[in-house]
Amino acid sequence: MLGFIISKLNLLILVTAVFAVIAYFAFFFGRSAELREAQDILSQFSKITYGVLGSTGQCHMAAIEIPPYIKSIGTGEPNNRLRFLVRLDKIPSSLPNDKTVVVFSILRKKDNRILASEPFATNAVVQLVDWDQEHNNLSFSPGPISINPVAAPLEEDVILLVKEVFEGTTSLYLIPCSHQ
């Protein structure tokens, strides 16, 4: 009788261990899929930015569409959709003739932790443009700009990239905007 009870306890331990390994694998797979999709989105942002800056014209413009969510597996998000924020930032160099780094980041919406980040170095003068709530117009922003892709229903959020070459100086304007 004691041998029967011990064998059933061993079977229970084995089943619990197998369940724990499978649950850990599913959690790890879900997180890595989120990270991979976030990195793909940011890679697309960098490719479009590179295309704008690499164009031969004096002026060039492109719009980067921001998807409303990232597909997630087993994270407890409703409908397996991970909501996120996009942050635009620039890190100017203090040295003359050195590159400015534009940083595209995706943050988790619920805890503002960075999920993925993609730096892009350029010799262009980078200007972040944001909506000034106080004066009700567009203005240059010194710091990071956060974009919430699902802030308003039925809208599509984009980042407008505008390249301008004036008197030999290349400028890149990053303008977040929503339109229907």
Side-chain angles (χ1 to χ4, degrees), residues 87-131:
R87 181 186 293 164
L88 305 175
D89 202 0
K90 67 176 181 174
I91 304 170
S93 175
S94 59
L95 301 173
N97 298 327
D98 210 2
K99 297 186 177 217
T100 300
V101 178
V102 177
V103 181
F104 299 108
S105 304
I106 289 184
L107 291 80
R108 290 183 196 274
K109 193 170 184 179
K110 61 182 172 184
D111 57 5
N112 279 347
R113 290 183 53 205
I114 295 177
L115 185 62
S117 184
E118 178 89 18
F120 181 86
T122 180
N123 287 326
V125 176
V126 178
Q127 297 290 340
L128 300 175
V129 181
D130 200 11
W131 186 257

